[in-house]
């Protein structure tokens, strides 16, 4: 069984702010992208980037088994570019991960890999535990049932040929690869995610990630 890792890093990190996109900023002494790549080492990895970021990407991937691929205008386009780059090698499975999730625990990666022996797709998630409201103009306007709702994470894993075909036939801008897989009729198992597996999205998330990564270094 051969497997590959595809890490998407061609976003601009607009919401996180800063002088460079979030994946190239330092957290707990290393660039976010380096932490993320190390989570998956020594697995062979495709890192999808914007062409202007090539020097940064070469620096953060030094010494690791990483191949750089040019991304697209949307997350879905970047994933598709990475999958096409892997098409010739045709691994049995692929794990698709956001570079912006540098704290993913090994147990989450292992759970996704293990589930792929049974289903075409598998992805980590956390059940919603807070009460849910709707709101408008600063006021609560209603409540929603939280039963059966999950917060989606990555890595999202798939049988390679199935997710490549799903992306090739998907024309929308899907939020994630589970949406693309489900649109193609693939079954996707939910495996336990982790609170530590946060996505750096807003400026305050850097401090949260730094705390998690610093705790691990102790
Ligand atoms: N054209 C794009 C857009 C996003 N991504 C990647 O998809 C992941 C999830 O996206 P998000 O957190 O939304 O990142 P950004 O698009 O960079 O953030 P923002 O929306 O704040 O600009 C990130 O790892 C990001 O680098 C990508 O590879 N190509
Ligand atoms: C793929 C994802 O990380 C799942 O939680 C997420 O959908 C991607 O980023 P978004 O821009 O915050 O939707």
């Amino acid at each position: 069984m051969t497997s590959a890792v595809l890490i998407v890093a061609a976003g601009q990190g607009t919401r996180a702010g800063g002088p460079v996109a979030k994946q190239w900023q330092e957290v707990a002494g290393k660039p976010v992208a380096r932490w993320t790549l190390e989570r998956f080492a020594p697995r062979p990895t495709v890192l999808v980037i914007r062409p202007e970021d090539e020097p940064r990407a070469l620096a953060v991937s030094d010494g690791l088994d990483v191949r750089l691929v040019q991304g697209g205008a949307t997350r879905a386009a970047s994933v598709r570019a990475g999958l096409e780059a892997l098409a010739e090698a045709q691994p049995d499975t692929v794990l698709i991960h956001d570079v912006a999730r540098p704290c993913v625990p090994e147990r989450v990666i292992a759970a996704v890999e293990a589930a792929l022996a049974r289903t075409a797709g598998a992805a980590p998630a956390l059940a919603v535990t807070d009460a849910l409201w709707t709101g408008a103009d600063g006021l609560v306007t209603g409540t929603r049932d939280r039963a059966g709702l999950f917060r989606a994470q990555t890595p999202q894993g798939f049988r390679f040929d199935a997710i490549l075909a799903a992306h090739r036939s998907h024309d929308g801008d899907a939020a994630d690869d589970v949406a693309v897989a489900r649109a193609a009729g693939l079954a996707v198992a939910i495996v336990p995610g982790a609170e530590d597996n946060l996505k750096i999205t807003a400026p305050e998330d850097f401090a949260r990630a730094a705390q998690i990564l610093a705790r691990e270094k102790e």
Side-chain angles (χ1 to χ4, degrees):
M1 180 105 148
T2 54
S3 60
V5 175
L6 195 174
I7 296 179
V8 280
Q12 304 201 41
T14 318
R15 289 169 290 175
V20 288
K22 57 191 177 186
Q23 56 270 35
W24 315 118
Q25 294 183 43
E26 284 216 356
V27 168
K30 288 186 221 177
V32 168
R34 178 74 192 191
W35 282 109
T36 308
L37 288 168
E38 285 180 356
R39 293 324 238 198
F40 291 88
R43 301 168 179 89
T45 297
V46 162
L47 181 65
V48 183
I49 58 162
R50 291 187 298 160
E52 59 268 41
D53 290 330
E54 189 175 330
R56 290 191 178 93
L58 285 171
V60 302
S61 54
D62 185 44
L64 302 175
D65 184 357
V66 173
R67 174 176 165 203
L68 303 181
V69 167
Q70 183 174 328
T74 62
R75 185 186 186 282
S78 293
V79 173
R80 168 86 186 266
L83 292 172
E84 295 291 353
L86 284 165
E88 203 179 326
Q90 239 189 340
D92 295 312
T93 63
V94 61
L95 299 182
I96 305 172
H97 188 65
D98 295 331
V99 75
R101 293 184 188 270
C103 314
V104 58
E106 176 58 33
R107 71 171 169 77
V108 171
I109 300 172
V112 173
E113 287 177 323
L116 284 181
R118 301 183 295 275
T119 58
L126 292 170
V128 171
T129 52
D130 292 327
L132 294 178
W133 301 335
T134 54
D137 302 325
L139 294 173
V140 176
T141 55
T143 55
R144 289 284 182 274
D145 187 0
R146 77 196 88 168
L149 293 185
F150 291 84
R151 292 188 279 142
Q153 299 186 338
T154 68
Q156 299 180 352
F158 304 93
R159 305 241 170 95
F160 180 78
D161 53 353
I163 194 65
L164 176 62
H167 265 273
R168 282 178 174 169
S169 62
H170 194 275
D171 51 9
D173 179 19
D176 67 9
D177 306 293
V178 167
V180 174
R182 293 197 65 257
L186 302 180
V188 182
I190 300 174
V191 306
E195 287 294 350
D196 279 358
N197 188 17
L198 81 163
K199 180 160 74 67
I200 298 176
T201 302
E204 58 270 23
D205 296 331
F206 287 104
R208 290 178 59 209
Q211 264 184 346
I212 295 164
L213 296 168
R215 199 202 305 145
E216 284 183 18
K217 282 201 293 191
E218 282 167 10

